[in-house]
Each structure stands twice: as C-alpha cells, then as structure tokens.
Amino acid sequence: MNDTVTLEINVIDSFEEFSHCFTGECRVAILPILYEISQVLTDSADLTASIPVILNTMQNHLKMQRGIITLYDRHVDTIFIHDSFGLTEEEKTRGIYALGEGVTGKVVEKGKAIVAKRLIDNSDFLNRTGSSYKKRHTKTAFFSVPIMRGQKVLGTIGAERVYMNPQLLRQDVQLLAMIASMLAPAAELYLVENIEKVRLENENSRLKNTLKKRFKPSNIIGSSKPMQDIYQLIHKVAATKATVLILGESGVGKELVATAIHYNSPSADGPFIKANCAAFPESLAESELFGHEKGAFTGAVATHKGFFEQADGGTIFLDEVGELSLSVQTKLLRVLQERTFQRVGGSKPINIDVRIIAATNRNLAEMVEEGTFREDLYYRLNVFPMMIPPLRDRGSDVITLADYFVKFFAQENNKDIKRISTPALNMLMSYKWPGNVRELENVIERAVILADDDAIHSYDLPPSLQTEKETKAADTPSGITLESRIQAIETKMIVEALKNNNGHMGEAAKELGLTRRMLSVRMERYGISYKSFRTHNNDTHKKENIG
C-alpha cells in the first residue's frame, strides 16, 4: 500500500485554521514562535541562527519524533541533511539523496510537498539513514515540504510523527510550508556563501591556471629583436615583487605585458585587478582606488572595497596612471611607501600585500617638470621601467600579426581567406602605425569584411594606408633615399619568400637565388626571424595573444 499524497500548499489560507483548537492540539500557540523565527531571519538572514529555533519548534511544540532540514547542491544534483533532531551524527551523514530519489528527492525534483500517511508501507521511503526503522509505530506519518525561492528549490523540511487526526497533519504540513518560505532567503544565501563559494573558488583557480599558460610571454605574437628584449625583461622582473612602470604609445600592448608579469610571478594565484585611471571621474577616483565607508558621502549606501583592497595578495594594474589628480597621487604615494591606506570616510588603517604595475603613454618626466605629476611618486613608480616598442619599430612582426588577425577574423566571419597579397603586404610594411597593434587589428578586420576572394588585396585596405604609400612614392627628395628604398624592397622580398615557404630558410633562399648563409646575414640585418613565418596552430583568441 502506498498512500503518498503530493500537495499544493497555500500557506496564506492556513492562518484561519490555526485559530481553532478542534484538532486536540492548539496551533495558535505557534504564532509567537513564527514571529520569533521571522525576527531572527530579519536581523541576520543567518541560516545557522534560525535553524535551532525551527528544530526546537518541531520537536517541543509540534511533538515530532524526527525532523530534518536538507539543502540541495544543484551543481552536482545532491541533496544532503544540513541539520536534524532524532538522528545520530552517523545517521545524518548517511542522508544523501539524488534528485528524484526517495520522498526527499521527489520533493526537490517537483517542488511540491509530499505526505506519506503510513511511512512504514511507503515504497518511496528508502531508510537511507538507517534510523531505527523496525521500531517505528505502524501509524507513523512522514511529510516533506520544499524550501523554495521563486521557482528554485533550495532544500526541504521533513517531519515524522504519529497523527491520530488527519486535520492536525494537514495543519502541520501547512505550518512547515510557511516556515520553509520564511527560511528560503537565508538558505539561498548560505548556499552561495558556503557550498557555491567553494565551487566558485575552485573554478576561479582552474581559470587562473589556464590564464597563466595563455599569458606566458612565449605566447605573445612577435619575435623581432625589440620584443625579444621585452621578453627577457618580463622573465627577470616577474620573479620579483618590484614595482613596474610600463611605458609606450597607445595600442602597443601594455596591459598584455602587465598580465604576463602577474601570471608568471609568485603571486599568480592572487587577484589581478585592472584599474583604468583615465576612466575615473576626479571626484570618485579616491573612492574607486581606496574604497569608502558607508555614509562617507551622499550616495555611499554601503561600505565599498576599492581596487587596492580587492588586489590584496595579488597585483594591481594602474593603467593611464598619469591621469590621476595631484590629491590622489599623494594618497597613492603613501600606499607605495607604507602599503597601507584608509577608506574615504574611514579612520582605520588597512594593510595590504600587493604588487603595483603602472602604465602610461604620457611622458611622466615632463609632467614632473610641469608640476602636474609628483616627483617623489614618479621615482617610486619608476623602479623598473619597461618601454614597449611601437609597431613601426618591430619589423616583420607587422606581417606576423597581420596574418594572425586575418586567420581570426576570417574564421569569425566565415570566410576562406588564406593570404595577404604582396602589394597589400608592401602597404602594411610601409605604414607608420600611429595606433600600433590596435590600429592594425582594426585595419585587418575591415579588410577581411571587404575581401571578395581568398586574399587581402591593397584595395581592401583603408585609404589612410594607400595615401601614405602614394605620398612616399612622390616624395623622393626629403622622404625616402635610394638606399632606404633598396632596403625596403629587399626586406619585402625576403618576407614574401619566407611566407611562401612557411619559414623554411633553405627553400626561401632558393626562391631568392641566394645561399642560406647570405639570406641569414640579410635577415639578421633587418631583424627578421624565420620563426615568425611558421604556421601558428594555437592562435585561437584575438585579444590574449597580441604582442
């Protein structure tokens, strides 16, 4: 016999029934306890503080023999007993259910209360805990109600006792359903802060390990001599905790270098916080960097942790540091000197362990002379300066990067583009790239969109590049000398030969009518590396591999 009943519970209608005592046990006395539970939840929203009150109510006021509160870990589809009475610790640890398994699993799966009027005869009862099954009264009933937040089931409240009056059983089901609805916000918060927090931390750790591999300097595109020098600097400074100042024009990849330093440093497992100083309104810059206390100013409705506090144990990257006002520079100087600060509106000093990497495209030395940047702060930041070379000084890296972007955007736009034509390559190599890698990326994306066949042609490139080429051709006296024009042509022919032969120097030398040694000498003269022309099989992400 299976007398299991699935119930839709309307907790609002149950108040009227509690006002009568015709069942033999008056439930009116429960109302002050409901108020007490609501006060505990209102004051702290703490699941651990409210559960003892609920279990005590079930045991001493509702005369339950056993009571359990379960929580549902939806990521692994597991329901476990969080707290109970009438069970030993060993029995409680055995109370683990899959979704849809047993009475408890079905309540979580369906989001509806289930009442088993005779537990001993119920086929859904698994006795997973092994709690004195044979000693149960033949008339013992068991019911379970879902703890729900919106449409999401967070767990259950289950109760077991003997009921001689069916009306009393119905009242208790409604009463626990009401308590479950009150408990739901605290249960959700508990799951987020405890169970899901651990899982999120594990996932964050996994992602950081992935990022660490992805941001290794060896994965930065480009093998020109200037970039090889940068790789050496990254390798040396990453192992230290020294403050780094990254200098260079806009678009050269300063953030990428900062990221590579962090993920190859001893604090790689700590946070990497990016703060764009140019994006802060002057009135909020201090609050964004150092945080504020609740009520510190109009609109400060809660305590806010700033970027420095968030970066504790890791690295903070201060991009465009030259844009900070003098007043914020003063507070930043104190952090660099003492590794301590106070939130806006606060009086308590906050100590941090953080590595600082700053970057700017401005000339800080000139700003010091002009009085717009503090001299003492400049020297504090300038412990280990790194000047990232502009794209125009990186030789054949232009072609390597252009090829990478062609592959990426061709795939993104579902186009079969295999190469860049020689005239287009000439234009790319001749252009000065004032916007550096960022400009090259935009140029190639546009060209891929315009391309009609399997190649990028010169007419697919923007007018700015074409105008540059035409201007140079017409500007012989003060523009390009004969020697520089010969060198440009020789460079382009070598690049084309290496491209055609996938970076194999022997084959490229044959195509050019040179010996391998003669080609090697010319490549060294122009800073060209055969490695730049080998097929890249692992370039799958646009932003993270740009050097």
Side-chain angles (χ1 to χ4, degrees), residues 252-265:
V252 295
K254 296 188 289 294
E255 182 178 324
L256 178 63
V257 172
T259 311
I261 292 171
H262 170 74
Y263 284 107
N264 287 276
S265 73

Side-chain angles (χ1 to χ4, degrees), residues 2 97 134 401 431 459 462 472 477 497:
N2 190 343
Y97 306 88
K134 293 182 179 179
L401 283 161
Y431 189 59
Y459 50 78
K472 283 187 175 184

Side-chain angles (χ1 to χ4, degrees), residues 341-374:
F341 63 91
Q342 293 177 0
R343 297 185 188 133
V344 176
S347 57
K348 179 184 175 182
I350 298 173
N351 298 315
I352 53 170
D353 176 20
V354 64
R355 188 206 194 126
I356 297 172
I357 301 178
T360 183
N361 59 5
R362 302 184 65 178
N363 189 325
L364 294 186
E366 287 185 1
M367 293 179 66
V368 169
E369 293 293 327
E370 296 167 357
T372 55
F373 200 85
R374 290 185 61 112

Side-chain angles (χ1 to χ4, degrees), residues 409-427:
F409 288 116
Q411 183 177 3
E412 191 176 71
N413 291 278
N414 295 316
K415 287 194 169 187
D416 186 22
I417 302 176
K418 297 182 173 61
R419 63 189 182 88
I420 304 174
S421 69
T422 300
L425 283 175
N426 293 340
M427 292 171 63

Side-chain angles (χ1 to χ4, degrees), residues 359-408:
T360 183
N361 59 5
R362 302 184 65 178
N363 189 325
L364 294 186
E366 287 185 1
M367 293 179 66
V368 169
E369 293 293 327
E370 296 167 357
T372 55
F373 200 85
R374 290 185 61 112
E375 184 176 16
D376 44 7
L377 176 59
Y378 171 65
Y379 289 118
R380 283 283 180 181
L381 291 173
N382 201 38
V383 175
F384 193 92
M386 295 176 64
M387 176 63 74
I388 310 303
L391 185 56
R392 60 182 171 274
D393 293 342
R394 292 174 53 181
S396 60
D397 283 355
V398 173
I399 305 304
T400 309
L401 283 161
D403 281 340
Y404 168 77
F405 286 132
V406 166
K407 291 176 184 176
F408 177 84

Side-chain angles (χ1 to χ4, degrees), residues 88-89 107 196 226 282 306 327 380 435 449 464 478 500 507 540:
T88 65
E89 284 300 315
V107 171
E196 295 188 6
E282 187 172 350
S327 61
R380 283 283 180 181
I449 294 171
S464 56
S478 58
N500 293 341
E507 296 299 322
T540 56

Side-chain angles (χ1 to χ4, degrees), residues 138-150:
T138 57
K139 293 186 178 181
T140 297
F142 177 80
F143 63 89
S144 179
V145 299
I147 303 171
M148 296 188 68
R149 182 79 161 159

Side-chain angles (χ1 to χ4, degrees), residues 398 402 420 423-434 439-440 442-444 446-447 456-472:
V398 173
I420 304 174
L425 283 175
N426 293 340
M427 292 171 63
L428 293 174
M429 290 294 291
S430 300
Y431 189 59
K432 291 299 184 182
W433 300 110
E439 184 184 10
L440 174 61
N442 294 337
V443 163
I444 298 299
R446 175 186 183 275
I456 300 294
H457 299 284
S458 58
Y459 50 78
D460 296 320
L461 299 177
S464 56
L465 271 71
Q466 298 176 27
T467 302
E468 178 84 2
K469 179 176 181 290
E470 291 165 3
T471 301
K472 283 187 175 184

